[in-house]
């Protein structure tokens, strides 16, 4: 059984009430419960974490090395600004799947750039909360094909 970290960044603690027309009405607690359930069905042991702080997200990525086999990451707005998060992902050399509830490419131009994408296995966006399950599917397939060292 692979261990996987589902890491959510700033403002995602407000899911459910935050701009529901953009992000939907599913709360973070519901997302995390669904990830645990879907992960278990896939044979993944899912740990969930959320922080509004860039440094805490970086610490969580560093701490994941040797503990988790991969990461599902919605870095929120730090996606578009944080070279430090990009460097953290590159440093730990864990497979990361980038998730966004909204289709960032169909929104404001500043959301079209992702500093996560160049160091991620891939990006899933625009499918709402379902995107986390899709990311777990993709991560499970990857880990089955390329087991952690
Ligand atoms: C988001 C998209 C980001 O642009 C935004 O800053 C978020 C949420 C998403 O899940 O759609 O906070 O990552």
């Amino acid at each position: 059984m692979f261990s996987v970290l589902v890491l959510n960044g700033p403002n995602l603690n407000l899911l459910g009430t935050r701009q529901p027309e953009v992000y939907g009405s599913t709360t973070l607690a519901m997302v995390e419960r669904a990830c645990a359930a879907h992960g278990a069905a896939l044979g993944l042991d899912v740990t969930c974490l959320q922080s509004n702080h860039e440094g805490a997200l970086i610490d969580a990525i560093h701490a994941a090395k040797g503990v988790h086999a991969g990461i599902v990451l919605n870095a929120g707005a730090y996606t578009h600004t944080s070279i430090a998060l990009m460097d953290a992902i590159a440093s730990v050399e864990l497979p990361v799947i980038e998730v966004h509830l909204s289709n960032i490419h169909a929104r404001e131009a500043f959301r079209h750039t992702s500093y996560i994408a160049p160091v991620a296995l891939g990006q899933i966006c625009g499918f709402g909360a379902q995107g986390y399950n899709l990311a777990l599917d993709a991560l499970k397939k990857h880990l089955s094909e390329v087991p952690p060292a």
Side-chain angles (χ1 to χ4, degrees), residues 138-149:
L139 194 50
K140 170 64 196 284
K141 183 166 190 298
H142 174 79
L143 291 171
S144 307
E145 290 169 358
V146 186

Side-chain angles (χ1 to χ4, degrees), residues 10-12 18 22-23 74-80 99-104 107 110-111 132:
N11 300 307
L12 293 163
R18 170 195 185 200
V22 178
Y23 299 115
N74 184 347
Y78 289 138
T79 302
H80 318 300
V99 170
H100 301 283
L101 295 129
S102 63
N103 180 357
I104 56 173
R107 300 181 63 195
F110 65 83
R111 294 186 206 274
Y132 291 87

